[in-house]
């Protein structure tokens, strides 16, 4: 089965849907140039995918979910967290890009389904670009 279950029980984006979106994004010179930086990879190795997913969800809820987000079009930094890079790479950085790339209209709050789908997209992209993090130094869990 190519569909992954969210721990909360809702279904998420399928692998097939991700492959189709990934092909579309690859056709954009702007979107296809993004890569995780060295600090992003170290952050991911240190904190793990689950933590980055949780943080990404919080960022989406506060920066994109409102019907009219403050500073829309400029609210997502270009660097500083793996989520920010993934947002630009996947067209999830502002409400205009969400409409263009994902068909999510502006002017209404994001639904829970929208939020989870965006986070899924970000995490698919982050996982695709995190090759080699298992070889980076990190602090082991002590408890």
């Amino acid at each position: 089965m190519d569909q992954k279950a969210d721990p909360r029980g809702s279904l998420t984006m399928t692998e097939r849907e991700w492959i189709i979106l990934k092909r579309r994004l690859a056709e954009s010179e702007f979107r296809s140039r993004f890569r995780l930086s060295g600090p992003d990879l170290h952050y991911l190795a240190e904190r793990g995918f689950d933590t980055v997913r949780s943080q990404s969800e919080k960022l989406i809820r506060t920066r994109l979910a409102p019907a009219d987000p403050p500073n829309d079009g400029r609210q997502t930094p270009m660097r500083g967290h793996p989520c920010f890079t993934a947002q630009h790479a996947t067209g999830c950085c502002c409400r205009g890009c969400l409409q263009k790339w994902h068909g999510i209209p502006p002017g209404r709050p994001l639904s829970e389904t929208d939020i989870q789908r965006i986070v899924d997209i970000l995490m698919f992209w982050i996982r695709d670009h995190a090759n080699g993090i298992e070889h980076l130094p990190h602090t082991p869990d002590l408890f």
Side-chain angles (χ1 to χ4, degrees):
M1 185 168 168
D2 66 355
Q3 207 162 28
K4 298 180 181 186
D6 185 333
R8 290 174 295 279
S10 61
L11 294 177
T12 62
M13 175 179 238
T14 66
E15 190 78 33
R16 183 172 293 122
E17 289 171 319
W18 168 241
I19 290 168
I20 291 166
L21 176 59
K22 190 161 98 167
R23 286 181 186 147
R24 283 184 53 225
L25 292 165
E27 293 174 4
S28 167
E29 186 177 334
F30 178 74
R31 304 283 168 208
S32 63
R33 72 182 171 116
F34 287 94
R35 302 285 181 271
L36 291 174
S37 68
D40 286 341
L41 291 169
H42 282 281
Y43 187 92
L44 190 55
E46 187 71 28
R47 302 212 174 47
F49 289 102
D50 291 341
T51 298
V52 169
R53 181 184 179 88
S54 175
Q55 292 169 342
S56 296
E57 185 174 333
K58 287 177 188 170
L59 289 167
I60 296 305
R61 285 184 189 285
T62 58
R63 294 172 180 249
L64 282 181
D68 187 24
N71 300 317
D72 193 28
R74 295 181 307 278
Q75 77 268 44
T76 305
M78 296 297 272
R79 64 182 79 73
H81 191 280
C83 175
F84 297 149
T85 306
Q87 283 182 265
H88 289 292
T90 61
C92 297
C93 46
C94 67
R95 295 306 293 266
C97 290
L98 282 175
Q99 180 176 24
K100 176 181 176 178
W101 286 96
H102 307 287
I104 299 173
R108 68 160 175 82
L110 295 178
S111 69
E112 187 61 30
T113 301
D114 293 335
I115 292 168
Q116 292 308 313
R117 185 169 181 86
I118 291 165
V119 174
D120 290 344
I121 290 167
L122 299 176
M123 293 311 297
F124 268 111
W125 187 90
I126 289 169
R127 285 184 191 282
D128 278 1
H129 289 83
N131 292 335
I133 66 162
E134 65 276 2
H135 302 295
L136 294 174
H138 67 282
T139 306
D141 291 333
L142 301 175
F143 303 100

